[in-house]
Amino acid sequence: IIFCRSSRPRATARAVCVTACRSAPVMPQGAHIELHRKRHGYRWDWFERLRKKEGRRAHARSAHAKRVHGLRAKLLNKRRYAEKATMRKTIKQHEERSARRAADDDDARVREGALPHYLLDRKEESRAKVLSNMVKQKRKEKAGRWDVPLPKVRPISEEEMFRVIKTGKRKQKQWKRMVTKATFVGESFTRKPPKFERFIRPTGLRFKKAHVTHPELKSTFYLNILSVKKNLSSPLYTQLGVLTKGTIIEVDVSELGLVTTSGKVVFGKYAQITNNPENDGCINALLLV
């Protein structure tokens, strides 16, 4: 509060007071709480009340999630999904760290004591390293980064991939496309009515089997194709099951008798196409080991 003493008229004195108040330094409207905490500390029950508030927040969010609908529900679910994914990643990282620490402690204990003569030739392999390698392999597969024999392939444009089909009474409509490359169509595929089918995949260019070469066994097997994992040219080609040079496919290797480290039989494995199927009339692929 600023008191003004002046021999001037009352209105002039009031104007001087307002100007003085405006020119005085003003504290930001949120800093007084922080300043009070720095000087006097927190309330005696502040942390307890904060803990209870955090505990009630989960119930409040659950009630809000049940009550909300429409676009707000979609946005809420999207945000919650991202939070859960981040939480899972954090938990997994902590699990790996604890496993590695335990393995290091075990190795230190082994180094302290003397090993028997029949264990000297064995390689010491900790459980944590195996676990971390498995996690890395899963992440690598999930990201789609394989050590492939053909890392770079020629991109194929839509003009080369599709041929325009003119339809209608006067052949004026041009919304249909015919695939000019080899394709894979699954067993459960049901074709749409021809009138409404946008992408036509000719039966003469459909393949169900591939000649797959195992790089370590140096032998070739005629295996069934399970699915098209990734076509490097376009996600649309992957969805349509187009088979071009460099495409990653999944083949049925149950006949080869491959097993995992835990003893389970491997059913499907990835392979990369190494030839141009539309020119050769067959599919040649190399197994990704």
Side-chain angles (χ1 to χ4, degrees):
I1 302 171
I2 298 175
F3 296 97
C4 299
R5 289 184 179 181
S6 178
S7 58
R8 300 175 187 175
R10 188 176 296 175
T12 311
R14 191 182 298 118
V16 172
C17 292
V18 171
T19 308
C21 291
R22 285 178 181 171
S23 62
V26 180
M27 182 183 294
Q29 287 299 308
H32 61 279
I33 298 176
E34 296 175 4
L35 186 62
H36 186 274
R37 284 176 180 168
K38 285 179 181 177
R39 289 175 179 170
H40 308 289
Y42 290 86
R43 267 175 63 113
W44 61 274
D45 61 342
W46 189 83
F47 293 101
E48 183 67 17
R49 292 176 67 178
L50 181 66
R51 184 185 63 81
K52 290 182 179 180
K53 185 178 180 181
E54 291 292 331
R56 288 193 301 269
R57 183 179 293 179
H59 299 282
R61 290 179 69 176
S62 176
H64 176 65
K66 290 178 183 178
R67 188 171 60 251
V68 75
H69 61 276
L71 182 61
R72 291 184 178 179
K74 286 185 178 180
L75 295 173
L76 177 69
N77 291 334
K78 186 178 180 181
R79 187 168 63 251
R80 185 65 181 144
Y81 179 80
E83 290 176 4
K84 286 185 176 179
T86 308
M87 186 171 60
R88 285 196 207 99
K89 287 180 183 177
T90 308
I91 291 172
K92 188 175 286 186
Q93 287 175 357
H94 285 293
E95 284 178 356
E96 287 180 32
R97 286 175 189 166
S98 61
R100 282 173 190 160
R101 281 189 197 127
D104 293 341
D105 295 341
D106 293 340
D107 293 343
R109 286 195 209 101
V110 169
R111 286 193 211 101
E112 287 173 4
L115 284 173
H117 68 280
Y118 55 85
L119 290 179
L120 290 174
D121 295 334
R122 293 191 185 181
K123 292 182 180 179
E124 298 291 335
E125 188 176 9
S126 61
R127 172 68 182 159
K129 287 181 181 177
V130 175
L131 178 66
S132 64
N133 288 337
M134 287 173 62
V135 171
K136 286 178 185 175
Q137 187 67 23
K138 285 182 180 178
R139 286 179 183 171
K140 203 173 181 182
E141 290 178 1
K142 192 177 288 185
R145 297 169 188 160
W146 300 284
D147 186 14
V148 293
L150 298 176
K152 292 182 180 180
V153 292
R154 183 180 68 88
I156 300 174
S157 63
E158 292 193 359
E159 288 77 13
E160 184 183 354
M161 179 65 66
F162 302 119
R163 184 161 63 89
V164 179
I165 302 295
K166 296 182 179 180
T167 57
K169 186 176 180 180
R170 305 185 188 281
K171 304 297 180 184
Q172 296 286 333
K173 300 176 182 177
Q174 300 182 8
W175 60 277
K176 286 195 176 187
R177 299 288 183 271
M178 180 178 285
V179 182
T180 60
K181 305 290 182 182
T183 56
F184 167 75
V185 179
E187 296 290 338
S188 59
F189 171 71
T190 304
R191 187 185 175 190
K192 288 183 181 179
K195 185 178 180 181
F196 305 108
E197 190 177 27
R198 174 165 166 73
F199 295 103
I200 302 168
R201 293 177 282 187
T203 53
L205 288 173
R206 295 183 187 179
F207 289 87
K208 293 184 178 180
K209 289 198 170 188
H211 301 279
V212 182
T213 303
H214 197 292
E216 295 177 358
L217 300 177
K218 305 293 183 184
S219 54
T220 305
F221 305 93
Y222 195 47
L223 304 176
N224 291 323
I225 302 174
L226 297 176
S227 65
V228 176
K229 180 65 178 177
K230 189 171 185 179
N231 191 309
L232 305 177
S233 298
S234 170
L236 175 63
Y237 302 164
T238 305
Q239 187 180 356
L240 292 173
V242 178
L243 303 171
T244 56
K245 188 173 183 178
T247 303
I248 305 295
I249 59 175
E250 189 177 7
V251 293
D252 184 5
V253 293
S254 56
E255 303 173 5
L256 306 184
L258 301 176
V259 294
T260 61
T261 53
S262 59
K264 295 181 180 179
V265 178
V266 179
F267 181 68
K269 211 162 179 61
Y270 296 141
Q272 188 180 31
I273 298 175
T274 56
N275 71 323
N276 295 311
E278 69 275 6
N279 296 340
D280 300 338
C282 65
I283 297 174
N284 300 331
L286 194 64
L287 201 66
L288 303 181
V289 181

